[in-house]
Amino acid sequence: MKISDILKNGIYRKNPILIMLLGMCPTLAVTTSLANAIGMGLSVIAILTISNVVISLFRKLIPSTIRIPAFIGIIAASVTMIEMLVHAYVPALYVSLGIYLPLIVVNCIILERAESFASKNTMLRSALDGIAVGSGFTIGLLLISFFRELLGTGSLFGFQILPEATNMLIMILPPGAFLTLGIILGVMGHVKNKKKEELENE
Amino acid sequence: MSSIGFYLGLVFSGIIIKNVLLSQFLGICPFLGVSKKTSSAVGMGLAVTFVLVLASIISFAFYYLVLVPFQLEFLRTIAFIIIIATIVQLIEVLLKKYMVNLYKSLGVYLPLITTNCAVLGIAILNINNGYDLLGTIVYALGSGLGFLLVILLFSAIREKLELHDIPKALKGLPIALITAAFMSLAFIGFGGIL
């Protein structure tokens, strides 16, 4: 696989949120504001890169029968590191992400990349894959939180854009998360169907 | 804090008001993945409830008996995930040996539970909220039953949806997510009770 392919796959061809539908818990929970989405996204990029690098370094030493517990141990250690760093340097983010920060351990994306990429590739490639997939995840989070923050509070990054009368509180409540993701996936499906029809007509 | 009303409120809020799936977004992967058929949804719900209660009790004990005395609280995440993985593995081995029928009906869902955020999430929430042992058990049980209730209702709706004429672009997950949005809206309505 070429390096450009690793980047393209991670960021859009196999976008973890919009195409693969992995890691749904944090996707729905922390997307109430763009600031939260960026904090979550950066944490995932860091954790994914660390765990991919460590796993690819040890890939020849870990026996395949116990690889899943070994991977989970490595992932849990990297999550704990990032959790302590965020707690020490960005306490506001630590509070707003709440339990979803330690829950990155059970985020399917990270185990999936460990299993399907890092355990088979060299360290540099795995690091790149971690950054690419993490960025794809961040882009998905930003897309959802853009609509939720704009429609729910009328602001973007905390700056008021729409008048308060147009705020729909439901968008920042739990139902808004399901609704936004459902509609985004629906629109993507529609565009895909349109393209397919055009190809068939030609 | 330790009145009967408090514990009843905890169960009620676990099942309905602070539902794990619809208001805390824990365990969404199996919620969307294993909810196409009612029978598999029930299997998953029961397995999750069982593991949730057991894992909550053991992580509670481990946290207060081992991690706190040795001041190792920062190892919480690692310790809990290892406890959960071990419990799931043990249950699988025990069921395989002693309850073959149950093992066959739950078999597929058991390993999936390790990476279910609801189990780790509730174990961490128990510690964060400072519940005592009884509170931990009650809250875990309430959350598990809430998971079971919602995944059962949701799978019944999805079975019906299969038969209806839905716009092509919305078929499958998009319509499931929109359904979940309306269910979540309905559950918010209970918020005023407590």
Side-chain angles (χ1 to χ4, degrees), chain A residues 52-92:
Chain A
N52 264 4
V53 165
V54 175
I55 288 168
S56 67
L57 282 178
F58 287 105
R59 69 183 188 280
K60 284 174 188 151
L61 292 175
I62 300 174
S64 70
T65 40
I66 58 150
R67 66 181 192 287
I68 300 288
F71 292 168
I72 289 183
I74 291 169
I75 294 169
S78 20
V79 170
T80 307
M81 268 156 48
I82 298 296
E83 199 186 340
M84 289 163 84
L85 281 176
V86 173
H87 196 173
Y89 294 105
V90 209

Short mmCIF file of all heavy atoms in Angstrom, two decimals, chain A residues 52-92:
data_model
loop_
_atom_site.label_atom_id
_atom_site.label_comp_id
_atom_site.label_asym_id
_atom_site.label_seq_id
_atom_site.Cartn_x
_atom_site.Cartn_y
_atom_site.Cartn_z
N ASN A 52 -0.64 2.47 18.00
CA ASN A 52 -0.19 1.86 16.73
C ASN A 52 1.31 1.67 16.72
O ASN A 52 1.81 0.63 16.29
CB ASN A 52 -0.61 2.76 15.56
CG ASN A 52 -1.91 2.31 14.93
OD1 ASN A 52 -2.53 1.37 15.41
ND2 ASN A 52 -2.32 2.96 13.87
N VAL A 53 2.05 2.70 17.17
CA VAL A 53 3.52 2.62 17.16
C VAL A 53 3.99 1.50 18.08
O VAL A 53 4.78 0.64 17.69
CB VAL A 53 4.13 3.98 17.58
CG1 VAL A 53 5.60 3.82 17.92
CG2 VAL A 53 3.96 4.99 16.47
N VAL A 54 3.46 1.47 19.31
CA VAL A 54 3.92 0.46 20.27
C VAL A 54 3.59 -0.95 19.77
O VAL A 54 4.44 -1.85 19.80
CB VAL A 54 3.29 0.71 21.66
CG1 VAL A 54 3.67 -0.39 22.62
CG2 VAL A 54 3.74 2.05 22.20
N ILE A 55 2.36 -1.10 19.26
CA ILE A 55 1.95 -2.44 18.81
C ILE A 55 2.78 -2.88 17.61
O ILE A 55 3.20 -4.04 17.53
CB ILE A 55 0.43 -2.46 18.51
CG1 ILE A 55 -0.32 -2.40 19.83
CG2 ILE A 55 0.05 -3.70 17.73
CD1 ILE A 55 -1.79 -2.12 19.69
N SER A 56 3.06 -1.95 16.69
CA SER A 56 3.84 -2.37 15.52
C SER A 56 5.28 -2.70 15.93
O SER A 56 5.92 -3.57 15.33
CB SER A 56 3.81 -1.29 14.45
OG SER A 56 4.50 -0.16 14.90
N LEU A 57 5.81 -2.03 16.96
CA LEU A 57 7.16 -2.36 17.43
C LEU A 57 7.21 -3.76 18.02
O LEU A 57 8.19 -4.49 17.85
CB LEU A 57 7.62 -1.35 18.48
CG LEU A 57 8.10 0.00 17.98
CD1 LEU A 57 8.47 0.89 19.14
CD2 LEU A 57 9.29 -0.17 17.05
N PHE A 58 6.14 -4.13 18.73
CA PHE A 58 6.14 -5.43 19.42
C PHE A 58 5.44 -6.52 18.61
O PHE A 58 5.22 -7.60 19.12
CB PHE A 58 5.45 -5.30 20.78
CG PHE A 58 6.29 -4.57 21.79
CD1 PHE A 58 5.99 -3.27 22.15
CD2 PHE A 58 7.40 -5.18 22.37
CE1 PHE A 58 6.77 -2.58 23.07
CE2 PHE A 58 8.18 -4.51 23.29
CZ PHE A 58 7.86 -3.20 23.63
N ARG A 59 5.09 -6.23 17.36
CA ARG A 59 4.21 -7.15 16.63
C ARG A 59 4.82 -8.54 16.47
O ARG A 59 4.10 -9.52 16.38
CB ARG A 59 3.81 -6.57 15.28
CG ARG A 59 4.92 -6.46 14.26
CD ARG A 59 4.40 -5.79 13.00
NE ARG A 59 5.37 -5.82 11.92
CZ ARG A 59 6.39 -4.98 11.82
NH1 ARG A 59 6.58 -4.06 12.74
NH2 ARG A 59 7.24 -5.07 10.81
N LYS A 60 6.18 -8.60 16.41
CA LYS A 60 6.79 -9.93 16.22
C LYS A 60 6.98 -10.67 17.53
O LYS A 60 7.27 -11.86 17.55
CB LYS A 60 8.11 -9.78 15.49
CG LYS A 60 7.87 -9.52 14.01
CD LYS A 60 9.12 -9.22 13.25
CE LYS A 60 8.77 -8.77 11.83
NZ LYS A 60 9.76 -7.86 11.29
N LEU A 61 6.85 -9.95 18.65
CA LEU A 61 7.07 -10.57 19.97
C LEU A 61 5.77 -11.09 20.58
O LEU A 61 5.80 -12.01 21.40
CB LEU A 61 7.69 -9.56 20.93
CG LEU A 61 9.12 -9.12 20.62
CD1 LEU A 61 9.55 -8.03 21.58
CD2 LEU A 61 10.06 -10.31 20.69
N ILE A 62 4.63 -10.50 20.18
CA ILE A 62 3.36 -10.88 20.81
C ILE A 62 2.83 -12.15 20.15
O ILE A 62 2.58 -12.16 18.94
CB ILE A 62 2.32 -9.75 20.68
CG1 ILE A 62 2.84 -8.47 21.35
CG2 ILE A 62 0.99 -10.16 21.29
CD1 ILE A 62 1.96 -7.26 21.15
N PRO A 63 2.64 -13.24 20.91
CA PRO A 63 2.09 -14.47 20.32
C PRO A 63 0.65 -14.21 19.85
O PRO A 63 -0.09 -13.48 20.53
CB PRO A 63 2.09 -15.47 21.49
CG PRO A 63 2.85 -14.82 22.58
CD PRO A 63 2.88 -13.37 22.35
N SER A 64 0.27 -14.80 18.73
CA SER A 64 -1.02 -14.42 18.15
C SER A 64 -2.20 -14.87 19.01
O SER A 64 -3.26 -14.27 18.95
CB SER A 64 -1.15 -14.96 16.74
OG SER A 64 -1.30 -16.35 16.79
N THR A 65 -2.00 -15.91 19.84
CA THR A 65 -3.15 -16.37 20.66
C THR A 65 -3.54 -15.36 21.73
O THR A 65 -4.71 -15.28 22.10
CB THR A 65 -2.82 -17.71 21.36
OG1 THR A 65 -1.48 -17.65 21.81
CG2 THR A 65 -3.02 -18.88 20.44
N ILE A 66 -2.58 -14.62 22.28
CA ILE A 66 -2.95 -13.66 23.31
C ILE A 66 -2.83 -12.22 22.80
O ILE A 66 -2.65 -11.28 23.56
CB ILE A 66 -2.09 -13.82 24.60
CG1 ILE A 66 -0.62 -13.67 24.26
CG2 ILE A 66 -2.38 -15.12 25.30
CD1 ILE A 66 0.17 -13.09 25.41
N ARG A 67 -2.95 -12.03 21.48
CA ARG A 67 -2.71 -10.68 20.97
C ARG A 67 -3.80 -9.70 21.41
O ARG A 67 -3.48 -8.56 21.74
CB ARG A 67 -2.57 -10.69 19.45
CG ARG A 67 -3.81 -11.07 18.71
CD ARG A 67 -3.58 -11.08 17.22
NE ARG A 67 -4.84 -11.17 16.51
CZ ARG A 67 -5.58 -12.25 16.44
NH1 ARG A 67 -5.19 -13.36 17.03
NH2 ARG A 67 -6.73 -12.24 15.79
N ILE A 68 -5.07 -10.16 21.49
CA ILE A 68 -6.13 -9.20 21.84
C ILE A 68 -5.94 -8.64 23.26
O ILE A 68 -5.93 -7.42 23.44
CB ILE A 68 -7.53 -9.85 21.67
CG1 ILE A 68 -7.74 -10.30 20.22
CG2 ILE A 68 -8.63 -8.89 22.09
CD1 ILE A 68 -7.94 -9.21 19.22
N PRO A 69 -5.74 -9.50 24.30
CA PRO A 69 -5.47 -8.93 25.62
C PRO A 69 -4.23 -8.03 25.63
O PRO A 69 -4.24 -6.97 26.27
CB PRO A 69 -5.23 -10.16 26.51
CG PRO A 69 -5.84 -11.28 25.80
CD PRO A 69 -5.85 -10.97 24.35
N ALA A 70 -3.19 -8.42 24.88
CA ALA A 70 -1.98 -7.61 24.84
C ALA A 70 -2.29 -6.24 24.24
O ALA A 70 -1.88 -5.20 24.76
CB ALA A 70 -0.90 -8.31 24.04
N PHE A 71 -3.05 -6.24 23.12
CA PHE A 71 -3.41 -4.96 22.49
C PHE A 71 -4.21 -4.10 23.45
O PHE A 71 -3.96 -2.90 23.58
CB PHE A 71 -4.25 -5.20 21.23
CG PHE A 71 -3.51 -5.85 20.09
CD1 PHE A 71 -4.19 -6.34 19.00
CD2 PHE A 71 -2.12 -5.96 20.12
CE1 PHE A 71 -3.51 -6.95 17.95
CE2 PHE A 71 -1.44 -6.56 19.09
CZ PHE A 71 -2.13 -7.06 18.00
N ILE A 72 -5.18 -4.71 24.14
CA ILE A 72 -6.04 -3.93 25.03
C ILE A 72 -5.20 -3.32 26.15
O ILE A 72 -5.38 -2.17 26.53
CB ILE A 72 -7.20 -4.78 25.57
CG1 ILE A 72 -8.19 -5.06 24.43
CG2 ILE A 72 -7.93 -4.07 26.70
CD1 ILE A 72 -9.42 -5.82 24.83
N GLY A 73 -4.22 -4.10 26.64
CA GLY A 73 -3.33 -3.58 27.68
C GLY A 73 -2.56 -2.37 27.20
O GLY A 73 -2.48 -1.33 27.88
N ILE A 74 -1.99 -2.47 25.98
CA ILE A 74 -1.22 -1.36 25.42
C ILE A 74 -2.12 -0.13 25.22
O ILE A 74 -1.76 1.00 25.56
CB ILE A 74 -0.57 -1.78 24.09
CG1 ILE A 74 0.52 -2.82 24.36
CG2 ILE A 74 0.02 -0.57 23.38
CD1 ILE A 74 1.05 -3.50 23.12
N ILE A 75 -3.34 -0.38 24.69
CA ILE A 75 -4.26 0.73 24.44
C ILE A 75 -4.65 1.39 25.76
O ILE A 75 -4.63 2.62 25.88
CB ILE A 75 -5.51 0.23 23.69
CG1 ILE A 75 -5.13 -0.24 22.28
CG2 ILE A 75 -6.56 1.33 23.61
CD1 ILE A 75 -6.22 -0.98 21.56
N ALA A 76 -4.95 0.55 26.79
CA ALA A 76 -5.36 1.12 28.08
C ALA A 76 -4.23 1.96 28.67
O ALA A 76 -4.47 3.03 29.25
CB ALA A 76 -5.75 0.01 29.04
N ALA A 77 -2.97 1.51 28.48
CA ALA A 77 -1.85 2.29 29.01
C ALA A 77 -1.76 3.63 28.29
O ALA A 77 -1.57 4.67 28.94
CB ALA A 77 -0.56 1.50 28.85
N SER A 78 -1.93 3.64 26.95
CA SER A 78 -1.82 4.93 26.26
C SER A 78 -2.97 5.85 26.63
O SER A 78 -2.78 7.06 26.76
CB SER A 78 -1.69 4.78 24.74
OG SER A 78 -2.14 3.56 24.29
N VAL A 79 -4.16 5.27 26.81
CA VAL A 79 -5.30 6.11 27.22
C VAL A 79 -5.03 6.74 28.59
O VAL A 79 -5.27 7.93 28.79
CB VAL A 79 -6.62 5.29 27.26
CG1 VAL A 79 -7.73 6.08 27.91
CG2 VAL A 79 -7.03 4.89 25.86
N THR A 80 -4.49 5.92 29.51
CA THR A 80 -4.21 6.45 30.85
C THR A 80 -3.21 7.60 30.78
O THR A 80 -3.37 8.63 31.45
CB THR A 80 -3.68 5.33 31.75
OG1 THR A 80 -4.59 4.24 31.70
CG2 THR A 80 -3.54 5.80 33.18
N MET A 81 -2.20 7.45 29.93
CA MET A 81 -1.21 8.53 29.78
C MET A 81 -1.87 9.82 29.31
O MET A 81 -1.68 10.90 29.90
CB MET A 81 -0.14 8.12 28.75
CG MET A 81 1.06 7.45 29.36
SD MET A 81 1.92 6.40 28.17
CE MET A 81 2.06 7.43 26.75
N ILE A 82 -2.67 9.71 28.24
CA ILE A 82 -3.31 10.91 27.69
C ILE A 82 -4.29 11.50 28.71
O ILE A 82 -4.38 12.72 28.90
CB ILE A 82 -4.04 10.57 26.37
CG1 ILE A 82 -3.05 10.09 25.32
CG2 ILE A 82 -4.82 11.76 25.85
CD1 ILE A 82 -2.05 11.12 24.89
N GLU A 83 -5.00 10.60 29.43
CA GLU A 83 -5.97 11.06 30.44
C GLU A 83 -5.26 11.91 31.50
O GLU A 83 -5.73 12.99 31.87
CB GLU A 83 -6.60 9.83 31.09
CG GLU A 83 -7.91 10.09 31.80
CD GLU A 83 -8.39 8.84 32.53
OE1 GLU A 83 -7.95 7.72 32.19
OE2 GLU A 83 -9.21 9.00 33.45
N MET A 84 -4.09 11.43 31.96
CA MET A 84 -3.37 12.18 32.99
C MET A 84 -2.85 13.50 32.43
O MET A 84 -2.87 14.53 33.12
CB MET A 84 -2.21 11.33 33.53
CG MET A 84 -2.70 10.17 34.39
SD MET A 84 -1.46 8.92 34.64
CE MET A 84 -0.58 9.60 36.01
N LEU A 85 -2.39 13.50 31.17
CA LEU A 85 -1.90 14.74 30.57
C LEU A 85 -3.02 15.77 30.45
O LEU A 85 -2.85 16.94 30.80
CB LEU A 85 -1.31 14.47 29.17
CG LEU A 85 0.09 13.88 29.14
CD1 LEU A 85 0.49 13.58 27.71
CD2 LEU A 85 1.06 14.88 29.74
N VAL A 86 -4.20 15.30 29.95
CA VAL A 86 -5.32 16.24 29.78
C VAL A 86 -5.74 16.77 31.15
O VAL A 86 -6.00 17.96 31.31
CB VAL A 86 -6.50 15.53 29.07
CG1 VAL A 86 -7.73 16.43 29.05
CG2 VAL A 86 -6.12 15.17 27.66
N HIS A 87 -5.79 15.87 32.15
CA HIS A 87 -6.19 16.28 33.49
C HIS A 87 -5.25 17.36 34.03
O HIS A 87 -5.68 18.33 34.66
CB HIS A 87 -6.16 15.05 34.42
CG HIS A 87 -6.90 15.26 35.70
ND1 HIS A 87 -7.13 14.26 36.60
CD2 HIS A 87 -7.47 16.35 36.22
CE1 HIS A 87 -7.81 14.72 37.62
NE2 HIS A 87 -8.02 16.00 37.41
N ALA A 88 -3.95 17.22 33.73
CA ALA A 88 -2.98 18.16 34.28
C ALA A 88 -2.96 19.49 33.53
O ALA A 88 -2.86 20.55 34.14
CB ALA A 88 -1.59 17.54 34.26
N TYR A 89 -3.06 19.44 32.18
CA TYR A 89 -2.84 20.66 31.41
C TYR A 89 -4.12 21.31 30.87
O TYR A 89 -4.13 22.50 30.58
CB TYR A 89 -1.86 20.40 30.27
CG TYR A 89 -0.48 20.07 30.78
CD1 TYR A 89 0.01 18.77 30.75
CD2 TYR A 89 0.31 21.07 31.34
CE1 TYR A 89 1.27 18.47 31.25
CE2 TYR A 89 1.57 20.78 31.85
CZ TYR A 89 2.03 19.48 31.80
OH TYR A 89 3.27 19.19 32.30
N VAL A 90 -5.19 20.53 30.62
CA VAL A 90 -6.43 21.12 30.10
C VAL A 90 -7.60 20.68 30.98
O VAL A 90 -8.48 19.97 30.52
CB VAL A 90 -6.70 20.69 28.63
CG1 VAL A 90 -7.48 21.77 27.90
CG2 VAL A 90 -5.43 20.36 27.88
N PRO A 91 -7.62 21.11 32.24
CA PRO A 91 -8.66 20.61 33.16
C PRO A 91 -10.08 20.86 32.67
O PRO A 91 -10.97 20.03 32.90
CB PRO A 91 -8.38 21.34 34.47
CG PRO A 91 -7.36 22.37 34.16
CD PRO A 91 -6.68 22.01 32.90
N ALA A 92 -10.30 21.98 31.93
CA ALA A 92 -11.66 22.27 31.46
C ALA A 92 -12.14 21.19 30.51
O ALA A 92 -13.28 20.72 30.58
CB ALA A 92 -11.70 23.63 30.77
#
